[in-house]
Amino acid sequence: MGDMTNSDFYSKNQRNESSHGGEFGCTMEELRSLMELRGTEAVVKIKETYGDTEAICRRLKTSPVEGLPGTAPDLEKRKQIFGQNFIPPKKPKTFLQLVWEALQDVTLIILEIAAIISLGLSFYHPPGENNEGCATAQGGAEDEGEAEAGWIEGAAILLSVICVVLVTAFNDWSKEKQFRGLQSRIEQEQKFTVVRAGQVVQIPVAEIVVGDIAQVKYGDLLPADGLFIQGNDLKIDESSLTGESDQVRKSVDKDPMLLSGTHVMEGSGRMVVTAVGVNSQTGIIFTLLGAGGEEEEKKDKKAADGAAGSNAVDSANTSLVNGKMQDGNVDASQSKAKQQDGAAAMEMQPLKSAEGGDADDKKKANMHKKEKSVLQGKLTKLAVQIGKAGLVMSAITVIILVLYFTVDTFVVNKKPWLPECTPVYVQYFVKFFIIGVTVLVVAVPEGLPLAVTISLAYSVKKMMKDNNLVRHLDACETMGNATAICSDKTGTLTTNRMTVVQAYVGDVHYKEIPDPSSINTKTMELLVNAIAINSAYTTKILPPEKEGALPRQVGNKTECGLLGFVLDLKQDYEPVRTQMPEEKLYKVYTFNSVRKSMSTVIKLPDESFRMYSKGASEIVLKKCCKILNGAGEPRVFRPRDRDEMVKKVIEPMACDGLRTICVAYRDFPSSPEPDWDNENDILNDLTCICVVGIEDPVRPEVPEAIRKCQRAGITVRMVTGDNINTARAIAIKCGIIHPGEDFLCLEGKEFNRRIRNEKGEIEQERIDKIWPKLRVLARSSPTDKHTLVKGIIDSTHTEQRQVVAVTGDGTNDGPALKKADVGFAMGIAGTDVAKEASDIILTDDNFSSIVKAVMWGRNVYDSISKFLQFQLTVNVVAVIVAFTGACITQDSPLKAVQMLWVNLIMDTFASLALATEPPTETLLLRKPYGRNKPLISRTMMKNILGHAVYQLTLIFTLLFVGEKMFQIDSGRNAPLHSPPSEHYTIIFNTFVMMQLFNEINARKIHGERNVFDGIFRNPIFCTIVLGTFAIQIVIVQFGGKPFSCSPLQLDQWMWCIFIGLGELVWGQVIATIPTSRLKFLKEAGRLTQKEEIPEEELNEDVEEIDHAERELRRGQILWFRGLNRIQTQIEVVNTFKSGASFQGALRRQSSVTSQSQDVANLSSPSRVSLSNALSSPTSLPPAAAGQG
């Protein structure tokens, strides 16, 4: 399909071209083939065919300086002839395809077969039917009327199967739609800077047309193909197209080809757009992909069930609109690329990764992302466990039923097998088979995938409101398990509104902005020129949008701070820039993480050169050998002056949390012209103009957010490029470090020295010594960030594997964002490359949004647990009822159709109701669960089994003595096709009522007493409970034969509801039983790295202290101490009496010491469990008890 749309797209363009070819000096085909050339070939081709890039601009009717006129008809015409910058998405799956996929479910297939057999047999009237010789299971022939209704059961099963399928398909369909909506939202938000009619404007990427003059700068992802017109020091990472990780230097005369989907790693410049959309290099590759995509769909669908994997595949095409490749799709396209063969695969391979680096790294990064999320792993394990149990139960049921029937008929009653009776017997066997399948259907919680999907989709939708744009569904849940966050400083913890607040100019340290008159005019002129010229011309300060607001800062925020300083000095930078436009700049050394400075060279009127430089003060000052004094004259600046300056000026500024920037310049003679490529010589012998302290205030909400994180058991670390004093000052303001604590603040150099051995290799055990205490990593390079993240993730220092979240905004943060379990990219300040590598985009760049993400992540996990607690109670009860009922009365008290209704409401609706619980702040009061914590904890197991006991007791009471209690006919031992009995209807109704009230109990999973807490904050829940109740009334009163129901009287209804209400009371009883006494309860659905984890077992209950139990604890502690002492003394005395070995006494003694440690721990606020004390074998051993 994808292929079709693309070829249509082409043919349409071809037709247009033949008619319009003459309007522009070159056709789309020519430009397209030109863009397929590289390097010198391309330069030669341009020279031969067009002359130069200027000539191409003329042919495309555009001006390299003014850009396109930007009139609507012109843009429209260009779109028609050259195509739009948009890659047509593959068609989404149709609803019917989704229905077909939902039908592939194994249990549903078994049910369909059973139903069809049942239907067929009901219409088949064998000749021997009225033969008295044929046995009936438990006598009783049937009326004529009833025989007619035999088909209803089969039809009803089919109907409910259709319901399940439609619900699943609809859910998938809406999920797909949401996902596409999210894609398009990400795409609309992506803008690019172009020049139109002489104005620099930002337009959505899809609006770019051939002939546009686009401005490219560090960190951009190119949205279309183009030719480089002018610029400085432009280096591009083309690994996404070529697979070569080296950065390619672009220049007009050597390699002017700029390709869509590649990343600008350094420098800036302008390009004329020559190919867009399907004609761009990335578009061509995607067209190839679209063709190969169809067969892969089927393979991918299998793998992509839990998360939105399958959608990622479908949207792989959409999301390269504008050459922006979502990560999920990078994976998808990769899996396709691997599966395709031949030439296409060769073309595809390079699409792999968004960051450079060697192939192994890429593989690792991808492997890492593929690792199952914690929840998925646990769910898979649990589902397998449940499935096995269900299969066994259903098999046993069928076997028992068949055996009982055959033994009873042919052995006890000694009936012969008559050929004409065969169909009758077959009908019985089919009935038994249907009962068996029913048991299996009820045992398997089909609602699980549904609950997970709903919960994740709901969370993702709501997280949008909390400024989290989730790009990978499971990132949302992984975030709930996060144990560490490595955050950037600038823009995330701080407001990213830079303002200069201190300055050192002309030998004077001003603590606030100096008065312009106090600065020498020569110095002032140099300062204004140095700041205005040596900064990106896209950086400006615009008047505020609203009256009384702060001026708007556009572009690089540090440069905005410096330009603001110029304005504060009552000067203006605009005239300087007009006089020296960007085209006239002689050479620019752009800022990068290695240089940590930026320099611009200009030609002065007398042909000599002047270079302005700015950068981190400790780096630039090292290169200064002069400094301007009060009179504006350069004086010598010796190393010892520098040390004094660092002590007197820079450190005090840094300790106030300011970033220090040094501005300097240097003059060069006109001849001989310096060798500009020899950077070390050029960036030296500078003259310092001034040093400024820039303040970037901490966001007001950050300290509170960080406190929440710490309380929730998440360690926040700050990783920044700033100097260590600034970083430490900000970390204290944020509350990342508290004075007097034991923590480490390291600089990148020191960090590297400590983690590497003599050979310079990184050693994991060295990292393990550092990271637990490290809180601030300053002056760090992107590699350091990656090393730290990798070190924490790979560490086996703690018993739980650390789950690390990382924030990043720069191009160079890509590797760290990819390596992390959850990568957060900044929506506003973030470069495209960072957004590519991330899982969640923070649309407001604010740290406190991360805390919201943690809350939602934990909520997803809890929602799934709530659903499981409810679901498994239903399953346990239904399976046991069906099983025992079938074995004792040969007929399940709950019919297949009733079971399916229970399955439908209990699965689909409950998953909706419990998965949409909104999160509360209390979620942040507990530590993360971690990978080894089971999905179904002891408390939940206690609840499941406790409620199952209540429900089973009542149902069996009703089953065996119900007819006496209600004075009605017994429904047991009814013949085949007999009319529904009131007796069994009461059982079914009671069962559903108990489930409804238990749904309210299931809202709490940590043993809280108040199950109604916050119930009205979740309208969906209330609606579903009431709705289910209403439908149940309809089914019982009017369901009749299909539902095997007979209408009930009001008093019988009252009893059913009363028994249901008993669930709530019983829930309180269960909450009173301390979990720790129930050692025999096993947990389920647990991920273990090492299968035996003895200490784990002990620590298991740490989390699991019920709220009700906590009150009991205080007294119990003293009790146990006393008891233990008495036990020990008795045992010692007895040992001496009997002269027996010492061992018993010593054992007892050691266990007491371990408890006293436990008790000591309890005073601290963290919940340390006493479970060991309560449940380690300390109750009196029989011997001691007897003798004592």
Side-chain angles (χ1 to χ4, degrees):
M1 268 182 282
D3 185 35
M4 272 306 301
T5 47
N6 290 343
S7 50
D8 295 348
F9 211 79
Y10 277 140
S11 52
K12 202 165 76 197
N13 287 335
Q14 248 72 57
R15 281 198 299 281
N16 289 345
E17 232 168 84
S18 49
S19 54
H20 293 288
E23 299 196 16
F24 292 100
C26 39
T27 64
M28 183 180 78
E29 278 303 305
E30 289 168 14
L31 289 174
R32 196 172 140 187
S33 53
L34 171 66
M35 292 318 290
E36 279 164 11
L37 302 174
R38 301 280 177 273
T40 39
E41 287 179 26
V43 179
V44 173
K45 170 89 173 152
I46 293 174
K47 278 225 172 69
E48 286 172 3
T49 321
Y50 304 102
D52 59 357
T53 40
E54 293 272 319
I56 294 183
C57 289
R58 282 200 296 280
R59 288 193 180 200
L60 289 174
K61 301 188 179 164
T62 177
S63 139
V65 182
E66 297 283 311
L68 291 178
T71 56
D74 177 54
L75 296 177
E76 205 39 57
K77 197 165 72 185
R78 286 171 192 272
K79 279 184 189 167
Q80 280 199 336
I81 295 181
F82 297 109
Q84 295 181 327
N85 194 20
F86 158 78
I87 292 172
K90 264 218 327 270
K91 290 204 183 94
K93 283 206 181 86
T94 58
F95 190 68
L96 286 175
Q97 280 171 307
L98 292 169
V99 168
W100 177 243
E101 273 166 21
L103 277 169
Q104 312 294 314
D105 188 39
V106 185
T107 30
L108 289 181
I109 291 173
I110 297 177
L111 268 181
E112 286 154 28
I113 294 170
I116 289 166
I117 296 176
S118 160
L119 264 178
L121 287 174
S122 69
F123 289 125
Y124 174 62
H125 294 296
E129 183 156 0
N130 303 329
N131 189 332
E132 291 305 308
C134 302
T136 51
Q138 276 91 33
E142 40 180 80
D143 326 349
E144 271 309 295
E146 297 306 325
E148 299 305 306
W151 59 273
I152 290 182
E153 186 148 322
I157 295 181
L158 278 182
L159 191 74
S160 34
V161 166
I162 292 171
C163 281
V164 175
V165 167
L166 288 178
V167 168
T168 321
F170 178 74
N171 213 41
D172 284 346
W173 180 76
S174 58
K175 185 170 75 178
E176 178 110 332
K177 213 171 92 185
Q178 268 181 351
F179 192 81
R180 284 183 179 261
L182 203 73
Q183 281 311 116
S184 61
R185 172 161 171 185
I186 294 178
E187 278 143 22
Q188 282 155 9
E189 285 192 345
Q190 215 210 336
K191 295 209 166 32
F192 207 80
T193 316
V194 297
V195 181
R196 284 195 181 164
Q199 292 293 313
V200 176
V201 287
Q202 285 211 320
I203 58 169
V205 168
E207 296 291 310
I208 292 177
V209 293
V210 170
D212 257 325
I213 304 294
Q215 290 201 343
V216 293
K217 58 179 189 313
Y218 160 79
D220 281 343
L221 190 152
L222 300 181
D225 294 352
L227 295 174
F228 186 55
I229 313 176
Q230 60 98 167
N232 23 52
D233 224 15
L234 192 67
K235 284 191 189 155
I236 304 251
D237 169 13
E238 292 187 350
S239 60
S240 61
L241 281 177
T242 60
E244 299 295 325
S245 57
D246 301 339
Q247 296 177 7
V248 187
R249 206 188 191 111
K250 297 290 177 184
S251 61
V252 181
D253 46 358
K254 294 223 173 49
D255 181 1
M257 312 310 263
L258 298 178
L259 306 172
S260 58
T262 57
H263 298 129
V264 183
M265 300 311 273
E266 246 184 68
S268 61
R270 289 183 174 197
M271 70 169 189
V272 56
V273 176
T274 55
V276 291
V278 275
N279 305 307
S280 66
Q281 292 303 298
T282 319
I284 292 169
I285 288 182
F286 260 86
T287 316
L288 287 175
L289 259 188
E294 298 299 299
E295 308 84 74
E296 312 313 332
E297 214 69 310
K298 299 177 187 73
K299 294 176 200 165
D300 286 349
K301 179 64 193 132
K302 302 274 185 296
D305 216 32
S310 53
N311 308 344
V313 179
D314 299 340
S315 59
N317 284 9
T318 0
S319 61
L320 217 136
V321 175
N322 57 34
K324 177 160 178 72
M325 219 166 165
Q326 309 309 2
D327 195 51
N329 317 327
V330 176
D331 285 358
S333 39
Q334 230 168 318
S335 59
K336 289 184 186 174
K338 288 195 191 88
Q339 291 156 335
Q340 276 172 2
D341 37 42
M346 288 314 299
E347 285 260 16
M348 302 325 324
Q349 243 13 42
L351 259 173
K352 264 193 196 134
S353 92
E355 85 261 50
D358 49 43
D360 295 345
D361 256 15
K362 291 177 199 166
K363 284 200 188 72
K364 274 184 207 132
N366 285 324
M367 277 296 295
H368 177 75
K369 274 279 184 264
K370 281 279 191 278
E371 184 182 306
K372 266 192 184 159
S373 80
V374 184
L375 185 63
Q376 273 176 325
K378 290 180 180 179
L379 281 174
T380 317
K381 203 156 175 184
L382 187 71
V384 171
Q385 288 170 341
I386 294 174
K388 282 181 186 160
L391 260 175
V392 172
M393 288 294 273
S394 65
I396 296 175
T397 313
V398 176
I399 293 167
I400 289 182
L401 284 172
V402 173
L403 279 178
Y404 188 97
F405 177 74
T406 44
V407 170
D408 186 55
T409 311
F410 303 121
V411 180
V412 181
N413 297 334
K414 301 199 169 51
K415 298 237 169 129
W417 178 295
L418 298 173
E420 64 266 27
C421 291
T422 309
V424 182
Y425 295 149
V426 170
Q427 212 161 351
Y428 271 111
F429 289 144
V430 169
K431 184 180 165 188
F432 299 153
F433 177 65
I434 288 183
I435 291 174
V437 173
T438 315
V439 172
L440 176 67
V441 169
V442 174
V444 177
E446 294 95 343
L448 250 184
L450 200 66
V452 178
T453 315
I454 291 177
S455 188
L456 286 171
Y458 172 75
S459 305
V460 168
K461 219 175 160 115
K462 291 282 189 209
M463 281 167 82
M464 293 281 289
K465 292 199 176 75
D466 286 338
N467 304 311
N468 284 303
L469 186 82
V470 181
R471 294 185 52 224
H472 300 134
L473 267 184
D474 52 353
C476 161
E477 165 265 321
T478 312
M479 204 48 220
N481 288 309
T483 53
I485 298 176
C486 298
S487 172
D488 276 354
K489 176 179 75 71
T490 310
T492 315
L493 299 172
T494 58
T495 55
N496 206 4
R497 253 203 88 83
M498 308 276 186
T499 36
V500 173
V501 287
Q502 296 189 18
Y504 179 87
V505 193
D507 294 343
V508 188
H509 183 178
Y510 298 95
K511 292 283 189 188
E512 58 242 9
I513 301 287
D515 187 87
S517 57
S518 63
I519 298 176
N520 180 288
T521 46
K522 258 197 239 158
T523 312
M524 182 68 98
E525 188 191 350
L526 270 170
L527 178 60
V528 174
N529 279 330
I531 291 176
I533 293 171
N534 185 28
S535 59
Y537 278 35
T538 45
T539 304
K540 343 182 175 24
I541 291 190
L542 302 178
E545 284 178 343
K546 296 190 204 69
E547 279 298 302
L550 294 165
R552 280 183 302 155
Q553 298 188 337
V554 183
N556 179 313
K557 299 296 191 236
T558 312
E559 292 179 352
C560 285
L562 291 166
L563 292 175
F565 179 54
V566 171
L567 298 177
D568 288 342
L569 292 171
K570 309 282 182 285
Q571 307 293 317
D572 190 2
Y573 61 86
E574 281 297 342
V576 180
R577 284 187 174 178
T578 333
Q579 200 184 338
M580 177 60 67
E582 204 169 356
E583 297 77 61
K584 282 200 187 159
L585 301 181
Y586 196 79
K587 170 94 182 135
V588 179
Y589 299 93
T590 43
F591 180 89
N592 65 23
S593 52
V594 182
R595 290 191 189 119
K596 289 220 184 294
S597 67
M598 170 179 178
S599 314
T600 304
V601 182
I602 58 170
K603 212 168 190 173
L604 297 175
D606 62 358
E607 295 294 307
S608 64
F609 300 97
R610 173 171 289 171
M611 177 179 77
Y612 293 114
S613 202
K614 69 165 190 290
S617 56
E618 57 263 53
I619 290 168
V620 177
L621 279 177
K622 279 194 187 118
K623 299 177 176 163
C624 290
C625 60
K626 300 197 183 77
I627 187 168
L628 295 182
N629 61 16
E633 297 301 326
R635 65 175 173 83
V636 182
F637 186 63
R638 291 181 299 274
R640 65 156 192 270
D641 299 336
R642 182 169 65 234
D643 297 342
E644 189 183 359
M645 180 144 166
V646 167
K647 259 199 210 67
K648 295 267 173 63
V649 180
I650 290 172
E651 281 183 3
M653 280 187 187
C655 292
D656 293 341
L658 305 182
R659 296 176 66 170
T660 53
I661 301 272
C662 174
V663 183
Y665 77 103
R666 177 182 176 185
D667 287 328
F668 296 98
S670 55
S671 62
E673 189 172 326
D675 171 10
W676 298 116
D677 288 338
N678 184 350
E679 259 181 68
N680 293 344
D681 292 353
I682 301 285
L683 294 180
N684 227 326
D685 299 339
L686 306 175
T687 308
C688 167
I689 306 173
C690 73
V691 172
V692 292
I694 297 186
E695 181 185 45
D696 183 8
V698 171
R699 288 175 180 263
E701 61 279 8
V702 162
E704 170 62 12
I706 286 181
R707 212 175 64 241
K708 281 183 187 161
C709 280
Q710 288 162 340
R711 204 171 52 209
I714 302 170
T715 315
V716 182
R717 296 183 172 83
M718 180 159 104
V719 183
T720 173
D722 249 338
N723 105 18
I724 190 149
N725 296 328
T726 312
R728 193 185 284 120
I730 300 267
I732 290 172
K733 281 185 192 163
C734 292
I736 292 178
I737 51 184
H738 302 284
E741 271 183 1
D742 179 20
F743 56 80
L744 285 174
C745 291
L746 295 178
E747 280 199 339
K749 277 202 192 98
E750 172 66 6
F751 173 70
N752 273 309
R753 197 182 59 71
R754 291 200 192 184
I755 61 171
R756 293 175 192 275
N757 59 16
E758 296 71 48
K759 294 187 195 136
E761 294 156 349
I762 296 171
E763 285 188 4
Q764 185 62 43
E765 51 269 30
R766 290 178 181 235
I767 298 184
D768 286 350
K769 288 200 185 91
I770 295 179
W771 74 257
K773 286 188 179 171
L774 182 71
R775 290 293 175 274
V776 176
L777 184 58
R779 281 275 171 254
S780 67
S781 67
T783 345
D784 295 340
K785 192 173 188 174
H786 182 256
T787 311
L788 175 66
V789 173
K790 185 174 180 317
I792 298 180
I793 288 179
D794 296 348
S795 168
T796 47
H797 180 80
T798 47
E799 73 241 74
Q800 297 277 8
R801 165 165 119 55
Q802 295 279 313
V803 178
V804 185
V806 172
T807 69
D809 51 11
T811 305
N812 40 28
D813 288 331
L817 287 170
K818 260 209 162 30
K819 178 68 190 157
D821 295 285
V822 182
F824 284 92
M826 300 296 137
I828 303 168
T831 55
D832 296 342
V833 185
K835 290 180 190 171
E836 286 309 291
S838 70
D839 301 293
I840 298 180
I841 297 175
L842 291 180
T843 48
D844 62 345
D845 289 16
N846 191 341
F847 186 82
S848 59
S849 303
I850 298 179
V851 181
K852 298 251 177 59
V854 172
M855 211 155 81
W856 276 108
R858 293 188 170 190
N859 192 49
V860 167
Y861 197 98
D862 280 9
S863 297
I864 305 294
S865 297
K866 288 171 190 174
F867 172 71
L868 276 174
Q869 176 174 306
F870 170 70
Q871 173 76 50
L872 292 180
T873 312
V874 180
N875 287 4
V876 169
V877 174
V879 168
I880 294 178
V881 167
F883 176 70
T884 46
C887 298
I888 297 167
T889 65
Q890 272 68 59
D891 185 9
S892 165
L894 296 170
K895 298 288 180 289
V897 183
Q898 297 175 349
M899 284 292 200
L900 279 165
W901 157 238
V902 168
N903 237 1
L904 257 182
I905 54 165
M906 300 315 166
D907 277 11
T908 355
F909 292 148
S911 61
L912 250 179
L914 293 166
T916 51
E917 287 273 304
T920 55
E921 288 281 328
T922 46
L923 288 170
L924 294 175
L925 297 176
R926 63 170 174 79
K927 301 274 175 282
Y929 283 140
R931 289 185 168 260
N932 306 356
K933 176 108 172 47
L935 201 54
I936 297 178
S937 60
R938 279 225 172 85
T939 307
M940 286 168 61
M941 213 53 160
K942 176 184 76 175
N943 291 344
I944 291 170
L945 295 179
H947 287 294
V949 167
Y950 172 81
Q951 296 184 10
L952 286 170
T953 317
L954 280 160
I955 284 177
F956 284 133
T957 312
L958 285 174
L959 182 58
F960 295 112
V961 294
E963 72 269 25
K964 301 192 185 66
M965 290 159 52
F966 287 106
Q967 276 110 30
I968 48 177
D969 297 338
S970 165
R972 294 195 300 283
N973 305 342
L976 203 59
H977 302 317
S978 58
S981 64
E982 279 188 350
H983 182 192
Y984 275 15
T985 308
I986 290 180
I987 295 179
F988 166 58
N989 200 18
T990 310
F991 180 64
V992 173
M993 287 302 126
M994 291 197 283
Q995 302 321 332
L996 271 182
F997 286 103
N998 194 28
E999 199 164 331
I1000 299 174
N1001 277 331
R1003 291 182 67 248
K1004 299 285 178 243
I1005 47 174
H1006 294 299
E1008 296 90 331
R1009 284 216 172 271
N1010 179 7
V1011 287
F1012 291 103
D1013 176 40
I1015 195 165
F1016 296 115
R1017 290 221 324 278
N1018 186 356
I1020 300 181
F1021 184 88
C1022 304
T1023 322
I1024 283 176
V1025 171
L1026 295 171
T1028 314
F1029 185 64
I1031 299 174
Q1032 177 65 17
I1033 295 178
V1034 174
I1035 287 180
V1036 170
Q1037 297 305 95
F1038 311 106
K1041 181 78 186 170
F1043 279 98
S1044 317
C1045 284
S1046 126
L1048 298 181
Q1049 316 294 314
L1050 185 65
D1051 60 328
Q1052 291 166 335
W1053 265 101
M1054 284 302 145
W1055 274 106
C1056 294
I1057 293 173
F1058 174 71
I1059 296 175
L1061 276 167
E1063 271 286 3
L1064 295 174
V1065 182
W1066 183 247
Q1068 297 301 316
V1069 176
I1070 296 180
T1072 318
I1073 308 170
T1075 308
S1076 48
R1077 291 293 176 81
L1078 310 171
K1079 251 314 183 201
F1080 61 87
L1081 288 183
K1082 271 281 150 270
E1083 304 101 339
R1086 164 185 198 168
L1087 279 186
T1088 47
Q1089 280 141 329
K1090 307 177 274 297
E1091 277 309 315
E1092 315 81 277
I1093 313 188
E1095 319 96 329
E1096 259 319 288
E1097 285 299 323
L1098 293 174
N1099 301 337
E1100 209 46 77
D1101 306 58
V1102 174
E1103 280 305 320
E1104 274 301 311
I1105 297 187
D1106 288 14
H1107 295 279
E1109 242 168 286
R1110 228 177 284 154
E1111 289 84 66
L1112 295 170
R1113 284 291 155 88
R1114 304 271 177 268
Q1116 283 174 338
I1117 295 170
L1118 300 169
W1119 235 116
F1120 273 98
R1121 277 188 191 163
L1123 195 65
N1124 272 324
R1125 287 199 186 130
I1126 297 168
Q1127 282 172 354
T1128 314
Q1129 283 153 6
I1130 289 174
E1131 205 163 280
V1132 171
V1133 172
N1134 291 338
T1135 313
F1136 281 121
K1137 262 191 205 162
S1138 58
S1141 76
F1142 250 32
Q1143 301 233 297
L1146 293 174
R1147 258 208 309 279
R1148 162 76 47 247
Q1149 193 51 52
S1150 68
S1151 88
V1152 172
T1153 46
S1154 76
Q1155 277 148 25
S1156 53
Q1157 285 161 359
D1158 260 14
V1159 173
N1161 289 344
L1162 232 146
S1163 53
S1164 72
S1166 61
R1167 308 191 199 166
V1168 175
S1169 124
L1170 247 182
S1171 56
N1172 321 10
L1174 296 179
S1175 46
S1176 47
T1178 50
S1179 37
L1180 289 166
Q1187 291 158 347

